Amino acid sequence: MAQYNVAPLEKLVDEFEKMPGIGHKTAQRLAYYVLNLSKTEAEALAAAVTEAHSKIHYCSRCCNLTDKELCPVCSSATRDQSQICVVETPRDATAVENTREYKGVYHVLHGAISPLNDVGPDNLTIKQLLKRLGDGGVSEVIMATNPTVEGDATALYISKLLKPMGVRVTRLAYGIPVGGDLEYADEYTLAKALEGRNEI
Amino acid sequence: MAQYNVAPLEKLVDEFEKMPGIGHKTAQRLAYYVLNLSKTEAEALAAAVTEAHSKIHYCSRCCNLTDKELCPVCSSATRDQSQICVVETPRDATAVENTREYKGVYHVLHGAISPLNDVGPDNLTIKQLLKRLGDGGVSEVIMATNPTVEGDATALYISKLLKPMGVRVTRLAYGIPVGGDLEYADEYTLAKALEGRNEI
C-alpha cells in the first residue's frame, strides 16, 4: 500500500516505531494521537523532546542526569556525601531513591562491564568514581549494580580497585524477595539466601 | 521525591504519559530513550511531530488525512470514484485498504453519532458526504462504520439521508470471523451469521 501513504504521517510512525517496546500498531496510535493534539500541545511535545535532549547532561560529580552543574542529590546539603551508592543506570538510582531509605549519594556507571557487547571498564564512569575517592571524604561505597553476570563482574572489578584505597566496599544483599514464595524461588537465589542467613 | 526531579526530564515523561496506552514506567523508558539519541535523531523526532501536525489536514473530498489537496486514493486514476466506503476513522480506511480487495474511494466521518459523548451528526463530515453525492457520479455507498451501537446508529442515520437520493446503500456483512470458533462466538454475532446465511 506504499503508494497510498501520507509521507509526514509515515515518518512520524517510523520515529515512534524506533522507540523501545513500541510496535507498528502502537506507533500508529501514537501518531494519530499527535495529529489530534492542538497546535500548542504538539509544539509542547516537540519542545519537550529537544529541550530534554539539549539541557540534560551528566552531573559533574556523580554522572547522574541533570540540567544543572550538579544533580539535586549531589547539591543537597542533607545527603551524606561520605556514602556512595554505585548503580548502572539513572533509573536504578531512581529505584533506590524510591525506597526513601537511602541518605547517601550516587555514582552512575552508565552500563556494566560486558565483553560480549564491547563494553569495557573504560566505557563506564569508573575513572570519575576513582577521582571522587581520591578527593577523600568517602567512607563507604555500596555496589548496587544488577544481580546479573555483568553486574556482578562490574561490582567485583570496581571493588578490587577500591580496596587498596582503604574504603569500605559493600554489595546489596541477595536473597528471597519480600512477599515471594520459597517454592518458586530459583535455586541460585535460594542458595544465596541460605548463605546470607541472619540471626533472629 | 519531587525535590530530586530533573525538570526537563520530568516534563518529557509527562508528555509521553499523556499518550494513549503509555503508563508512567513506559513514559520513563521512552524519555531515557530520547536522552540516549544523538542530537540529529532527537531533532528528527521533534521535527516529525511538528511537521506531521502542521502539514497533515483533511482531504478536501473524502476528509481522510493527507498532506496534499486531495488524498492519494481520491487523486488516483485507477480507483472507482462511483463507490464510496464510509468509515469512522482514517485507521478504519487503512484497515479496509489492507484487504487489497477494495477498489473504490472512501469517506471518513471522524467519529460516530454518540449522544452520550456529545457527538451529533453535525460533528461528523456527513455534510461533505451529501455534497459528494449531490455532485453526482456515485452509484454505491458502503457503510463500513464499526459494528457497535454508535456505528450502527450512524450507518442507519446516513442511509436514511441517502436513500431518497436514489443511491444504493450497503452495510458490511455481520458474521463469524474467519478462523473463529462457533463455540466462542457471542450469541448476537451467531444470530447475525444465521440471519445472513448464504447458499453454497
Side-chain angles (χ1 to χ4, degrees):
Chain A
M1 295 289 110
Q3 71 193 106
Y4 294 124
N5 282 341
V6 181
L9 182 61
E10 288 306 308
K11 206 170 158 191
L12 186 59
V13 171
D14 285 348
E15 287 291 341
F16 282 134
E17 214 175 332
K18 286 183 202 163
M19 292 179 168
I22 305 289
H24 189 65
K25 284 260 175 187
T26 309
Q28 274 186 327
R29 203 175 58 213
L30 297 183
Y32 284 116
Y33 158 83
V34 168
L35 293 181
N36 285 327
L37 289 176
S38 73
K39 192 167 184 287
T40 332
E41 288 169 327
E43 278 166 3
L45 172 60
V49 168
T50 43
E51 200 160 294
H53 197 269
S54 66
K55 285 198 183 164
I56 291 180
H57 48 81
Y58 291 176
C59 167
S60 63
R61 194 178 292 166
C62 76
C63 302
N64 203 343
L65 300 171
T66 181
D67 56 343
K68 309 253 165 49
E69 164 71 16
L70 285 181
C71 77
V73 174
C74 282
S75 57
S76 165
T78 61
R79 306 293 294 231
D80 180 0
Q81 304 279 342
S82 73
Q83 203 177 31
I84 298 180
C85 178
V86 176
V87 293
E88 291 182 22
T89 67
R91 265 179 290 180
D92 294 336
T94 307
V96 175
E97 199 62 5
N98 286 342
T99 65
R100 293 165 191 260
E101 290 291 337
Y102 183 64
K103 296 289 165 245
V105 292
Y106 295 95
H107 192 83
V108 181
L109 295 173
H110 291 285
I113 296 171
S114 167
L116 282 177
N117 297 316
D118 255 336
V119 180
D122 292 344
N123 301 114
L124 307 177
T125 62
I126 296 177
K127 237 178 250 172
Q128 290 88 323
L129 177 62
L130 294 178
K131 194 184 160 296
R132 286 177 79 178
L133 282 141
D135 293 345
V138 178
S139 60
E140 181 180 1
V141 174
I142 303 169
M143 299 304 311
T145 50
N146 285 324
T148 57
V149 174
E150 289 84 4
D152 281 341
T154 309
L156 200 67
Y157 178 87
I158 296 177
S159 67
K160 280 192 178 165
L161 288 177
L162 301 188
K163 282 276 172 64
M165 302 174 90
V167 67
R168 189 176 167 219
V169 184
T170 55
R171 181 92 175 95
L172 287 187
Y174 281 108
I176 45 170
V178 177
D181 195 322
L182 276 201
E183 197 183 340
Y184 300 116
D186 65 285
E187 54 255 59
Y188 302 106
T189 303
L190 208 50
K192 289 278 186 185
L194 262 175
E195 195 184 311
R197 67 192 181 277
N198 300 305
E199 295 277 346
I200 54 168
Chain B
M1 294 292 107
Q3 71 192 105
Y4 295 123
N5 282 342
V6 180
L9 182 61
E10 287 307 307
K11 206 170 161 191
L12 186 59
V13 171
D14 285 348
E15 288 292 342
F16 282 134
E17 214 174 332
K18 285 183 203 161
M19 293 179 167
I22 304 288
H24 189 66
K25 283 260 175 186
T26 309
Q28 276 189 325
R29 204 175 56 214
L30 297 183
Y32 283 116
Y33 158 83
V34 168
L35 293 182
N36 284 326
L37 291 176
S38 72
K39 191 165 185 287
T40 332
E41 288 169 328
E43 278 166 2
L45 172 60
V49 168
T50 43
E51 199 160 293
H53 197 269
S54 65
K55 285 196 183 165
I56 293 178
H57 48 81
Y58 291 176
C59 167
S60 65
R61 194 178 294 165
C62 76
C63 302
N64 202 343
L65 300 171
T66 180
D67 55 342
K68 310 251 164 49
E69 165 72 16
L70 284 180
C71 77
V73 174
C74 283
S75 58
S76 165
T78 62
R79 307 291 296 230
D80 180 1
Q81 304 279 343
S82 74
Q83 201 178 33
I84 297 180
C85 177
V86 176
V87 291
E88 290 182 23
T89 67
R91 265 179 290 182
D92 294 336
T94 307
V96 175
E97 198 62 5
N98 286 342
T99 65
R100 293 163 191 262
E101 291 290 337
Y102 183 64
K103 298 288 165 244
V105 292
Y106 295 95
H107 192 83
V108 181
L109 296 173
H110 292 284
I113 296 170
S114 168
L116 281 177
N117 297 316
D118 254 337
V119 180
D122 292 343
N123 301 114
L124 306 178
T125 61
I126 295 176
K127 237 178 249 171
Q128 289 90 323
L129 178 62
L130 294 177
K131 195 188 160 290
R132 285 176 80 177
L133 281 141
D135 293 346
V138 178
S139 60
E140 181 180 1
V141 174
I142 304 168
M143 299 304 309
T145 50
N146 284 325
T148 58
V149 175
E150 289 85 5
D152 281 341
T154 310
L156 201 68
Y157 178 89
I158 295 177
S159 68
K160 280 192 178 162
L161 289 177
L162 302 188
K163 283 275 173 62
M165 304 173 89
V167 68
R168 189 176 167 221
V169 183
T170 56
R171 179 93 175 94
L172 286 188
Y174 281 109
I176 44 169
V178 177
D181 195 322
L182 276 201
E183 195 183 340
Y184 300 116
D186 66 285
E187 55 256 59
Y188 302 105
T189 303
L190 209 50
K192 289 279 187 183
L194 262 175
E195 195 184 311
R197 66 192 182 279
N198 301 305
E199 295 274 348
I200 52 168

